[in-house]
Amino acid sequence: MIPPVVPLGIGASATYGAADFCGGLAAKRLPAAAVALLTQAVGVPPLLLLAWLLGAPGPGLGRGLALGAVAGLGSGTGVLLLYRGLAVGRMSVVSPVTAVGAAAVPALFGLATGDRLSAVALAGVAVALVAVVLVSAAPEPHVPESPVGAGAMPVGQPAAAFAARLRQPGLLEAAGAAGGFAVFFIFLKRASAAAPAAWPLVGTRVGSGALLLTAALAGATLRRRYGVSEATDPRGLDRATWGLLLATAGLDTLANLLYLTAA
């Protein structure tokens, strides 16, 4: 019999992926910091209502909110870097790198703090990490590879080409996003043991909202001072963009609830 945590985990992963897809599209229309901040803000009222409906605050609410706020700092960092990576890099590279890193780091952290993973699970982590390296080094679709028979490739050129691909746009942001989300997952699990139902997620919104608001204000100040502008869609906050923001917020909240239930 499959334990309930498996479908919950798969559902959370799929929903996080859908939220990232919508957020990545929105980040091509608006600055990444604005997308991250708006999606967090529009998700607060329904989250507060949902938290109250799922269970009244308990005695561990303060600790749960505090741990949730720390998780929110990681989440805010992850979201900001992910949307930035999706805006400047390839979604087919940025998304899997972020996803696998965000899953593998908490798994390894759990192993280091006493959790037990089966040999199959450990093998899965290892294969996933190797896959991320291979995906990260995949060539751009429009860049032709060296034709076979065109002559011997100089010694060291394959390694140099491989290293160059690892420096493609969006990869650094994806790695940073993976680290941020790993912090989010680690601390949210601890918050779920302290506070009931969905209340830890309220703390995550406070932490991520404060971080993202600071980042948005700092970014706007720097852009005004130095006359730098981000390349965004001139349509800005039209109906389609609002639809993407609402979809991102809703999917992100659902994914968090699925993960919190599984944790």
Side-chain angles (χ1 to χ4, degrees):
M1 182 177 179
I2 298 177
V5 69
V6 174
L8 286 170
I10 293 175
S13 298
T15 313
Y16 276 126
D20 293 345
F21 177 79
C22 294
L25 292 179
K28 295 184 182 296
R29 297 165 173 256
L30 296 171
V35 172
L37 182 60
L38 287 171
T39 54
Q40 295 289 303
V42 298
V44 168
L47 178 59
L48 287 172
L49 177 61
L50 187 61
W52 186 265
L53 292 175
L54 290 179
L61 179 63
R63 176 175 170 79
L65 290 176
L67 290 171
V70 176
L73 294 176
S75 174
T77 302
V79 168
L80 183 61
L81 291 175
L82 174 62
Y83 291 167
R84 174 63 182 171
L86 291 172
V88 302
R90 285 188 290 161
M91 187 176 292
S92 60
V93 172
V94 174
S95 290
V97 169
T98 302
V100 173
V105 172
L108 295 175
F109 178 84
L111 185 64
T113 54
D115 287 351
R116 298 196 176 196
L117 295 181
S118 66
V120 173
L122 287 173
V125 172
V127 170
L129 292 175
V130 172
V132 159
V133 175
L134 295 176
V135 168
S136 303
E140 294 281 355
H142 61 274
V143 177
E145 293 295 303
S146 299
V148 177
M153 183 176 289
V155 176
Q157 186 171 325
F162 185 85
R165 290 171 189 165
L166 290 177
R167 294 192 296 269
Q168 62 181 290
L171 266 184
L172 186 60
E173 289 86 350
F181 287 130
V183 170
F184 167 72
F185 290 133
I186 290 169
F187 279 90
L188 184 59
K189 182 166 185 350
R190 280 153 176 72
S192 68
W199 287 102
L201 293 178
V202 176
T204 66
R205 294 289 181 178
V206 173
S208 62
L211 176 72
L212 293 171
L213 179 60
T214 302
L217 293 175
T221 300
L222 290 174
R223 285 194 295 271
R224 283 197 303 269
R225 177 173 297 179
Y226 296 104
V228 178
S229 61
E230 291 194 40
T232 56
D233 194 303
R235 289 172 293 182
L237 276 171
D238 59 3
R239 183 177 299 179
T241 305
W242 272 115
L244 289 171
L245 294 173
L246 292 173
T248 302
L251 290 167
D252 181 64
T253 299
L254 176 59
N256 288 337
L257 284 173
L258 289 172
Y259 173 77
L260 196 63
T261 304

